[in-house]
Amino acid sequence: MALNEMHAEAVAGIVDRVLVRYRRDPSCMVQMLREVQEALDWIPPEAIDRMQASLAVPRTKIEGVAGFYAFFYLQPRGRYRILFSDNVTDRMLGSEALLQQLCSNLWIEPGKVSEDGLVSVDRTSCTGLCDQGPAMLVNNRAISRLTATRIDEIAELVRSKVPLAEWPADFFAIDDNIRRADILLDAEFAPGAALAAARARAPDEGIAASNMRSWREGLPSGIGGPIATLDEIKRANLRGRGGAGFSTGLKWESCRNAPLKAGQQRIVVCNADEGEPGTFKDRVLLTSKPDLVFEGMTVAAYAVGATRGFVYLRGEYRYLLEPLNAVLAKRRADNLLGRDILGIPGADFDIEIHLGAGAYVCGEESALIESLEGKRGTPRNRPPFPVTNGYLDQPTIVNNVETFAAAALIALNGGDWYAAIGTKHSAGTKILSVSGDCERPGIYEYPFGVSVRQVLADCGAGDTQAVQVSGPSGICIAPAEFDRIIGFEDIPTAGAFTIFDNTRDMFEVARNYVHFFQHESCGFCTPCRVGTSLLMNLMDKLARGCGSPYDFAEIEKLNQLLQSMSHCGLGHTACNPVLDTIARFRPAYEKRLTQKDFTPAFNLDDALSQARQMTGRDDTHAHLSTTHGGQA
Amino acid sequence: MSHTFTLDGKTIPFEPGETILQAAGRAGVYIPHLCYHPEFKPHGSCKLCTVKINGRQTASCTMRAMVGMVVESETEEINAERRALTQMLFVEGNHFCPSCEKSGNCQLQATAYHLGMMSPHYDHFYPNRPVDASHPDVLLDFNRCILCSLCVRASRDVDGKNVFALSGRGIKTHLIVNAKSGRLADTDFTLGDKAAQVCPVGVILKKRQGFAVPIGERTYDKAPIGETLAEGK
Ligand SMILES: Cc1cc2nc3c(=O)[nH]c(=O)nc-3n(C[C@H](O)[C@H](O)[C@H](O)COP(=O)(O)O)c2cc1C
Ligand code: SF4
Ligand code: SF4
Ligand code: FES
Ligand code: FES
């Protein structure tokens, strides 16, 4: 047998094992591609051959999906695939120098594969380890707290081809860093207690029958436990923790009231995509309180009558998969998942974990559902909304990790208890992911209403110039606003709280965020696909010293267009970091406006750099002096 | 009668379930669009058809008409934004209209004229997009692809072939064809496919047909796109 035939056969064997595990179901495409890549280090054409034949789907479908996600490789990327987290906090902690150190150590260029095909080094969007950066992923396993010494050790391990499984275990230690705990992170919680409390709220007579009917059929009103549970959630005034702050009770009720077609079921999805740079509280909830989150999902299933659940876990948190699956297995063994949960007839619900593969936009709920269905993560046209037409066209609720954890506590302690915490418009607590310039970065849970100033004091921030609340899609505030409070009535947040002291250049902060949006735009709609690139080019132009006041007007215009024409929230918010910093830190920009009149971004001398590199020349005659266009 | 909304002050009747763009088209009112085609499921990606409904902007090709909606379309504000979108589409690809076989029949070009686009305004991206001339009857010039996905939908939904799909992400989104080699010649695509006829720009071109109709006598040379497309065609 020829060598390439043997290779194809070996690949087919590996692919087949993966496909069987997913029952050859094309809606599991993202999961199948992930496992194929985990086994083969990339997704070779032979693997696609086999998938195409075995799944009976067109090749274009497989390649289209694989091509969308940053963590899927249709070209070889080496046996060690190293990605440096490129959040602004990683940069502040020196990630770029470490990246250069590793590259020169391994004799490779960033973004390229080494000539022997052993290793590649590149950058990736925030990996959610901002409180213990700089961080990297090696074949999707996270290493935090990188230092120059650690980089040398890593280079040596790679050069000696030590399998990742044999790298020192302490490299992979990730800390929770819980600095302030409140009702959620302090909860003494026995698995099953919230469900038992929810059931106990049902009127006594006919409880079994009413539960059974409602769980299966999600009948609209008037029956037993599920309605009582929904009432508690509403009474608690719980609002979504994923950013938009939609009323959880209303969302659940719409899903419950949505008609089911024959053969359909209701779906509960936990959004653990946590892609917003600077956010890492869902990671900590999933490591420290997984039962609370899963129980919240089960409470939701009880309330809306859902029988199937998913956790959509970002690919960057791949290392959480096994521990979380172990918790799920335990819950099944304890009859907290599966059939007739807690002995309630018809109370059937189970949870599977699906992993993402490096796409921030998949945190948007309809893109998330597309990805769960094994497709490219493109946001859907709405209406219809997921509550009526979600996963495989079935009624679906999508909620953030923290929302489910809060729901479990509400089921346990009641809505009134919860509503009394926080402020009038923002009930309960909020978990903040604090990072950047402070002494004690980490996780801080506060009742809503806490002031920015208080948080800064608690985490030991001094000389603070700015705080980016809720990540690049949130807002950037200056010291004059530090008495503002965290809450839906003032500063709503998905959790990121990134601190910049007076030594930081707020222009470069905004530029980093703009690069993030450009990299993460899904490319579906014209304004966001092209607009985020135009915005990035403008910011790079300012950074090169070619900016004029004219470019400010261009940025305003782009913002207007992205706000009004974009398909989803990514495009709507892509200009926020620039507008916020222009409004508050104008000197950082003015420093760059070396040109009074419009200056083109094109620089003839720069354009010749390729020719210089090819000819190995860098003498004065190989350079042009230009009359405009920034530095020579 | 009862099922009507207003579009720029004009009363437009609609059938329940119809989108704003469909109803407007039937009433002979043109709303600029590129990724919409009456024979296919709306895509909602180019955003040219964006209108303002009760103060909020949304794509009219995917938004169902509802009784009493107040829709604005031909305002200077919206048209300026549409113009910016066409400029974005021009700089994102490589469009050299004078040497393009589609010139005069091209909806991007005609829409740009309609909107009074006088220059590309933005810096060109000059992407590197090799052409695919492998197929005996058809040339694919990806330089002009605006990612409208009409060929994708035509091949999938009408031809039952899935010859085309979008791959990549963000600004790197691109069209791929259904062959391991990545070449159109190695697919089951034929000139008779619906997908061979739907491209609004000059990507999917019939070979050996170049300039059969002289420039100056082509569809949008004779009448602007607003008049040509409004008849619900
Ligand atoms: C681009 C984009 C990214 C998002 N990423 C996340 C995310 O990572 N996690 C999350 O919970 N919500 C995210 N959202 C919000 C979700 O669409 C959705 O509103 C949320 O999951 C609903 O849950 P909640 O009501 O519990 O907040 C994102 C939205 C957009 C537009
Ligand atoms: S496709 Fe249209 S816009 Fe592009 S070059 Fe051809 S005629 Fe011009
Ligand atoms: S080839 Fe033509 S029809 Fe297909 S996506 Fe590109 S522009 Fe649209
Ligand atoms: S929604 Fe993804 S590019 Fe616009
Ligand atoms: S025609 Fe409506 S978005 Fe393209």
Side-chain angles (χ1 to χ4, degrees):
Chain A
M1 211 188 309
L3 201 61
N4 52 1
E5 278 173 47
M6 273 166 59
H7 169 68
E9 204 159 286
V11 167
I14 289 168
V15 170
D16 286 351
R17 276 196 295 283
V18 172
L19 300 194
V20 165
R21 218 172 11 259
Y22 289 96
R23 307 166 307 277
R24 295 202 161 76
D25 179 355
S27 75
C28 297
M29 184 69 78
V30 176
Q31 303 312 302
M32 294 189 283
L33 287 169
R34 173 180 63 79
E35 292 207 13
V36 166
Q37 173 161 305
E38 280 182 13
L40 297 170
D41 287 334
W42 65 301
I43 301 167
E46 298 78 22
I48 298 179
D49 289 345
R50 191 66 177 189
M51 292 180 83
Q52 176 192 2
S54 184
L55 300 172
V57 298
R59 187 174 198 98
T60 36
K61 151 111 190 172
I62 305 169
E63 289 180 351
V65 173
F68 184 86
Y69 297 90
F71 291 168
F72 291 154
Y73 303 124
L74 292 167
Q75 305 288 329
R77 297 294 297 168
R79 263 167 53 204
Y80 300 93
R81 300 170 298 281
I82 299 178
L83 296 172
F84 278 83
S85 179
D86 197 21
N87 188 21
V88 65
T89 52
D90 294 288
R91 291 216 170 201
M92 285 154 53
L93 293 163
S95 62
E96 277 299 292
L98 296 174
L99 181 146
Q100 297 305 338
Q101 182 193 341
L102 184 62
C103 282
S104 56
N105 218 321
L106 294 168
W107 283 89
I108 54 175
E109 273 181 65
K112 302 234 167 83
V113 190
S114 62
E115 269 175 35
D116 56 2
L118 182 66
V119 54
S120 60
V121 175
D122 210 339
R123 300 176 183 87
T124 189
S125 299
C126 177
T127 55
L129 295 164
C130 326
D131 58 335
Q132 47 202 292
M136 64 159 60
L137 300 174
V138 187
N139 300 357
N140 270 35
R141 290 199 59 194
I143 304 181
S144 66
R145 275 184 255 279
L146 294 170
T147 59
T149 321
R150 177 69 37 104
I151 290 290
D152 284 339
E153 290 168 331
I154 289 170
E156 190 46 44
L157 288 165
V158 169
R159 265 197 307 268
S160 327
K161 303 185 184 158
V162 177
L164 199 58
E166 292 165 25
W167 289 22
D170 63 316
F171 276 28
F172 304 103
I174 302 295
D175 289 325
D176 281 352
N177 285 336
I178 298 175
R179 313 277 185 180
R180 188 187 196 283
D182 210 297
I183 52 169
L184 283 177
L185 294 168
D186 247 354
E188 293 286 333
F189 174 76
L195 279 169
R199 187 183 54 164
R201 261 181 217 106
D204 281 345
E205 69 268 27
I207 170 170
S210 72
N211 271 317
M212 179 144 157
R213 286 183 61 205
S214 56
W215 193 300
R216 287 265 167 81
E217 299 156 32
L219 292 180
S221 62
I223 15 166
I227 284 301
T229 305
L230 200 51
D231 283 345
E232 294 302 326
I233 298 289
K234 284 192 190 163
R235 199 168 307 139
N237 284 327
L238 179 61
R239 294 173 66 172
R241 300 297 193 245
F246 193 79
S247 154
T248 306
L250 282 183
K251 184 184 283 188
W252 290 13
E253 189 169 48
S254 320
C255 178
R256 182 185 172 78
N257 292 344
L260 280 187
K261 292 187 208 107
Q264 286 194 333
Q265 56 186 338
R266 290 192 175 77
I267 310 286
V268 169
V269 178
C270 173
N271 188 343
D273 198 49
E274 194 158 68
E276 191 71 42
T279 318
F280 47 89
K281 48 102 190 164
D282 292 340
R283 161 173 63 78
V284 174
L285 270 173
L286 289 171
T287 50
S288 64
K289 297 282 171 209
D291 264 304
L292 199 60
V293 177
F294 294 144
E295 185 123 341
M297 292 177 68
T298 316
V299 166
Y302 182 54
V304 308
T307 42
R308 192 166 182 197
F310 292 96
V311 175
Y312 189 87
L313 182 67
R314 67 186 310 218
E316 289 81 348
Y317 297 166
R318 165 70 184 81
Y319 54 93
L320 293 181
L321 181 62
E322 284 81 14
L324 288 175
N325 270 331
V327 177
L328 288 176
K330 175 83 171 51
R331 291 182 68 86
R332 275 179 211 117
D334 294 345
N335 192 214
L336 298 175
L337 283 175
R339 298 200 158 270
D340 300 341
I341 291 170
L342 284 182
I344 307 173
D348 303 341
F349 181 66
D350 213 325
I351 297 174
E352 7 179 338
I353 301 176
H354 275 224
L355 276 157
Y360 163 68
V361 72
C362 288
E364 195 282 333
E365 58 181 12
S366 67
L368 185 155
I369 291 170
E370 288 282 294
S371 184
L372 272 183
E373 291 182 2
K375 301 180 189 156
R376 294 163 59 76
T378 304
R380 291 178 174 175
N381 290 310
R382 283 146 299 163
F385 292 93
V387 283
T388 54
N389 302 72
Y391 177 73
L392 299 176
D393 213 27
Q394 307 171 100
T396 303
I397 54 164
V398 180
N399 279 116
N400 177 256
V401 174
E402 191 180 346
T403 312
F404 283 121
L409 281 192
I410 293 165
L412 185 65
N413 299 324
D416 292 332
W417 167 79
Y418 192 82
I421 303 163
T423 69
K424 183 156 170 279
H425 297 284
S426 312
T429 60
K430 183 74 198 92
I431 305 180
L432 300 177
S433 317
V434 176
S435 68
D437 295 313
C438 64
E439 280 160 25
R440 291 174 297 279
I443 292 292
Y444 292 76
E445 183 185 9
Y446 291 98
F448 272 113
V450 66
S451 71
V452 170
R453 192 177 303 286
Q454 181 69 49
V455 180
L456 287 171
D458 291 352
C459 69
D463 241 2
T464 305
Q465 175 181 201
V467 182
Q468 184 77 30
V469 187
S470 206
S473 68
I475 73 164
C476 181
I477 59 169
E481 304 160 277
F482 286 173
D483 286 320
R484 293 178 65 181
I485 60 159
I486 303 294
F488 297 105
E489 60 270 54
D490 190 0
I491 308 180
T493 176
F497 192 96
T498 315
I499 304 165
F500 303 96
D501 71 17
N502 280 317
T503 65
R504 305 296 175 185
D505 181 346
M506 294 311 290
F507 169 81
E508 283 299 333
V509 172
R511 194 161 77 94
N512 175 275
Y513 288 158
V514 164
H515 276 252
F516 165 78
F517 284 126
Q518 190 272 348
H519 184 254
E520 297 297 340
S521 165
C522 79
F524 173 77
C525 74
T526 312
C528 173
R529 182 182 68 241
V530 186
T532 50
S533 280
L534 290 169
L535 186 66
M536 179 184 78
N537 294 345
L538 271 171
M539 290 295 276
D540 289 353
K541 177 182 170 184
L542 293 189
R544 283 197 310 273
C546 303
S548 67
Y550 167 90
D551 296 301
F552 277 8
E554 268 308 291
I555 291 170
E556 295 279 355
K557 238 182 77 185
L558 272 176
N559 174 52
Q560 177 62 35
L561 192 75
L562 278 156
Q563 299 251 3
S564 59
M565 292 270 189
S566 290
H567 184 64
C568 83
L570 193 156
H572 294 151
T573 54
C575 293
N576 285 4
V578 183
L579 294 175
D580 279 1
T581 45
I582 290 181
R584 292 172 175 81
F585 306 100
R586 208 177 165 97
Y589 283 78
E590 261 151 18
K591 215 165 68 189
R592 261 105 188 163
L593 297 190
T594 48
Q595 316 295 325
K596 278 208 188 60
D597 301 319
F598 172 76
T599 303
F602 181 76
N603 180 315
L604 195 49
D605 189 58
D606 279 352
L608 287 174
S609 66
Q610 247 185 351
R612 279 194 294 271
Q613 202 185 7
M614 276 158 57
T615 53
R617 282 183 56 181
D618 202 18
D619 54 289
T620 40
H621 295 296
H623 283 277
L624 285 164
S625 54
T626 45
T627 48
H628 59 229
Q631 90 281 42
Chain B
M1 20 146 262
S2 62
H3 287 306
T4 63
F5 63 94
T6 65
L7 176 58
D8 292 329
K10 192 174 163 194
T11 302
I12 309 278
F14 69 94
E15 309 280 338
E18 245 180 347
T19 63
I20 294 170
L21 187 64
Q22 281 170 331
R26 273 200 310 120
V29 179
Y30 170 68
I31 300 176
H33 57 269
L34 287 172
C35 69
Y36 172 77
H37 187 292
E39 292 171 46
F40 306 105
K41 203 173 147 227
H43 196 232
S45 62
C46 75
K47 303 296 176 197
L48 256 294
C49 70
T50 300
V51 294
K52 202 177 245 185
I53 304 170
N54 306 333
R56 274 202 68 208
Q57 295 200 175
T58 190
S60 64
C61 69
T62 50
M63 182 50 100
R64 290 198 174 162
M66 281 187 286
V67 174
M69 266 180 174
V70 179
V71 183
E72 293 169 73
S73 173
E74 285 298 316
T75 68
E76 186 38 47
E77 182 199 356
I78 296 173
N79 275 333
E81 293 185 355
R82 290 175 179 152
R83 203 177 307 127
L85 290 181
T86 56
Q87 288 167 325
M88 287 181 171
L89 289 169
F90 269 95
V91 300
E92 178 193 26
N94 298 307
H95 296 266
F96 306 105
C97 298
S99 64
C100 178
E101 158 62 13
K102 196 75 172 198
S103 191
N105 291 327
C106 170
Q107 292 188 22
L108 175 62
Q109 187 191 48
T111 306
Y113 276 130
H114 171 85
L115 293 167
M117 177 186 134
M118 304 303 282
S119 78
H121 183 77
Y122 304 112
D123 289 339
H124 282 277
F125 291 7
Y126 297 121
N128 183 13
R129 298 184 184 171
V131 302
D132 177 353
S134 62
H135 195 277
D137 302 320
V138 171
L139 170 76
L140 294 182
D141 189 341
F142 296 113
N143 286 297
R144 304 163 186 150
C145 181
I146 57 170
L147 308 168
C148 70
S149 109
L150 275 170
C151 59
V152 177
R153 285 173 276 166
S155 185
R156 183 189 62 207
D157 302 341
V158 179
D159 305 327
K161 286 187 180 177
N162 291 293
V163 170
F164 299 104
L166 295 179
S167 188
R169 182 174 86 197
I171 198 67
K172 294 184 182 148
T173 307
H174 60 276
L175 201 65
I176 56 170
V177 302
N178 195 13
K180 189 176 182 179
S181 65
R183 290 161 13 118
L184 192 65
D186 299 325
T187 69
D188 50 357
F189 184 75
T190 68
L191 205 49
D193 286 4
K194 184 73 181 172
Q197 297 151 28
V198 292
C199 183
V201 290
V203 180
I204 306 175
L205 296 171
K206 209 169 157 184
K207 283 186 174 172
R208 294 176 295 278
Q209 291 283 310
F211 299 91
V213 178
I215 289 183
E217 294 168 31
R218 297 179 173 190
T219 314
Y220 306 119
D221 296 332
K222 293 189 212 139
I225 192 164
E227 289 166 29
T228 320
L229 284 190
E231 273 70 67
K233 201 201 87 166

